[in-house]
Amino acid sequence: MAALLRRLGWLTGRVVRLVRETPRSRTIGLIVPGWPGHHPGQHVDLRLPGAERSYAIASAPEDRYLELTVARVAGGEVSGYLVDDLREGDRLELRGPLGADFRWDATSGGPLLLIAAGPGIAPLRSMLRHHRAIESEVPVRLLYSVPDALALPYPEEIMRFATSDQVDVNLTYTRRAPARWNGYRRRIDAPMLAEVSWPPAEHPVTYVCGPTTFVDTAAALLVAAGHDPDGIHAERFGGGR
Amino acid sequence: MTGWDGNAVAGLLYDLFGQEMTGVGATCAHCGRRSLLARTRVFRGPGTVLLCPACGGSMLVVCVRDGIACVDAPGFATLAVPLREPVSLRPVGDQSRPRTA
Ligand SMILES: Cc1cc2nc3c(=O)[nH]c(=O)nc-3n(C[C@H](O)[C@H](O)[C@H](O)COP(=O)(O)OP(=O)(O)OC[C@H]3O[C@@H](n4cnc5c(N)ncnc54)[C@H](O)[C@@H]3O)c2cc1C
Ligand SMILES: [Zn+2]
């Protein structure tokens, strides 16, 4: 069997674009020679001196650059560097794409239920961009939880997704909603999920992503509401919320 | 610290098994439930531990030091490792190239 083993090699990406998304987060655009392409939802491992971390791919396979959206974690070794110190032209060592369960494409079907908090939107943005790029007819419902409007990355793009007949976008502001907001203003709970989700009988294909405590809460609520656990794909970023 | 799930160790498992493993199912030796490795719970300390999502039993313990991985598998009743990667759609993308075998 040894002869069949292959290592997933490290590639060197060049930082070509940096976009400040929120006070705490930034999108890093990379050109990665030798990059084999990816499925929406997959992630990369990043290698910095003395540390390795995983980051979801926020761009679609069709996009020009490989994009990562990184949110600074208090006291975080790697995220602080990526959000505040990295410069255009810098090189990053990475490998991927990784992940066989948390990925969506046309073969995965639907209806799609996407649930995220904070930086957990990144892999779902890849799915939504791909959904748009392939003109998918699969109906999508997104529930996205952020503390306040300042913490919302790519607001224009999220609103643009919402203009599609196939995509229904629901935001909830957990700390402070914008003025005249008439949507949700609390942490996710059973009534909110019941309103936003496809009923269990429609067998949605569900992706839940974000801080670990958020994903645990959302997944438990879905199962308690009668959703088939096999249909729930989850990705936990670690930490609390 | 509330931990991660198996997605966080996709790279580590790739190193150990030479292929993407998070979509592979494993049967827990403690409770008999089958789960995809992506859906195990992961804790990181001096080593990395994969726990069964159903019973919390320890399935796999990996310690990497000086480029050597020590693997202890107290909790796999079965783990079917495909000898070749399952056929998948070729990913698309501007920077893509067909993967060579
Ligand atoms: C599959 C996968 C995909 C990921 N994708 C993304 C992504 O797209 N964008 C993104 O910003 N992050 C993502 N993460 C999280 C990322 O890998 C790092 O954990 C995060 O950037 C913190 O690393 P750090 O070195 O800055 O913090 P560390 O120095 O490792 O930790 C500093 C402190 O923060 C706590 N902590 C660690 N991780 C987190 C966390 N995620 N949230 C809150 N507190 C934490 C630690 O317990 C510690 O107390 C992903 C994680 C996984 C497993
Ligand atoms: Zn078990």
Side-chain angles (χ1 to χ4, degrees):
Chain A
M1 166 150 169
L4 285 165
L5 294 186
R6 266 177 295 140
R7 296 209 62 174
L8 185 60
W10 292 92
L11 303 168
T12 303
R14 185 162 48 91
V15 178
V16 290
R17 221 163 84 93
L18 290 168
V19 178
R20 174 64 57 180
E21 303 290 358
T22 73
R24 282 184 48 208
S25 69
R26 184 152 93 149
T27 295
I28 303 167
L30 296 157
I31 287 182
V32 188
W35 178 251
H38 73 280
H39 294 278
Q42 289 188 296
H43 68 271
V44 295
D45 279 354
L46 225 65
R47 181 161 76 178
L48 291 114
E52 263 179 53
R53 299 285 184 274
S54 301
Y55 291 98
I57 301 171
S59 50
E62 295 81 8
D63 291 342
R64 218 158 131 211
Y65 306 129
L66 188 77
E67 291 182 343
L68 313 175
T69 300
V70 180
R72 192 191 314 111
V73 159
E77 209 182 309
V78 172
S79 59
Y81 168 75
L82 295 173
V83 174
D84 299 320
D85 302 331
L86 191 73
R87 303 251 183 97
E88 272 181 32
D90 284 352
R91 319 258 152 176
L92 283 177
E93 260 193 300
L94 58 99
R95 64 177 185 174
L98 288 159
D101 180 47
F102 200 85
R103 51 157 103 164
W104 180 86
D105 59 29
T107 62
S108 318
L112 250 186
L113 177 59
L114 307 178
I115 301 174
I121 193 72
L124 309 188
R125 179 198 195 221
S126 178
M127 294 176 190
L128 285 163
R129 283 189 166 194
H130 182 62
H131 179 274
R132 172 181 281 248
I134 63 172
E135 294 174 27
S136 171
E137 300 281 308
V138 169
V140 185
R141 290 184 183 171
L142 169 71
L143 174 59
Y144 186 30
S145 171
V146 285
D148 51 39
L150 257 185
L152 180 67
Y154 5 95
E156 286 93 20
E157 181 168 11
I158 289 172
M159 291 311 135
R160 223 173 318 122
F161 287 135
T163 61
S164 155
D165 287 343
Q166 266 80 39
V167 183
D168 178 37
V169 172
N170 300 272
L171 298 178
T172 181
Y173 292 100
T174 56
R175 199 184 304 141
R176 203 156 70 94
R180 294 189 304 281
W181 174 252
N182 54 18
Y184 297 117
R185 41 176 87 229
R186 59 181 201 267
R187 293 186 172 213
I188 72 161
D189 54 22
M192 191 188 300
L193 273 178
E195 281 169 21
V196 170
S197 305
W198 305 95
E202 295 196 33
H203 302 290
V205 182
T206 303
Y207 295 83
V208 187
C209 190
T212 295
T213 47
F214 173 85
V215 174
D216 285 346
T217 303
L221 288 169
L222 287 167
V223 172
H227 288 267
D228 176 8
D230 285 346
I232 304 171
H233 307 261
E235 185 159 280
R236 294 168 177 83
F237 280 4
R241 64 172 151 170
Chain B
M1 192 69 242
T2 44
W4 287 267
D5 57 39
N7 295 298
V9 290
L12 176 67
L13 294 172
Y14 205 116
D15 282 340
L16 296 176
F17 295 94
Q19 59 188 294
E20 171 63 55
M21 290 293 290
T22 60
V24 169
T27 307
C28 174
H30 311 289
C31 74
R33 275 278 291 277
R34 205 180 118 85
S35 322
L36 297 183
L37 289 182
R39 300 182 182 201
T40 58
R41 301 306 299 261
V42 169
F43 286 85
R44 287 164 164 158
T48 301
V49 188
L50 273 67
L51 304 176
C52 168
C55 76
S58 153
M59 297 180 91
L60 187 75
V61 184
V62 185
C63 295
V64 181
R65 256 179 64 194
D66 304 326
I68 311 249
C70 293
V71 183
D72 185 22
F76 285 142
T78 62
L79 174 70
V81 182
L83 286 182
R84 261 191 289 151
E85 276 204 70
V87 180
S88 67
L89 277 183
R90 201 180 101 212
V92 286
D94 271 359
Q95 301 171 34
S96 79
R97 243 147 246 146
R99 271 197 208 239
T100 45

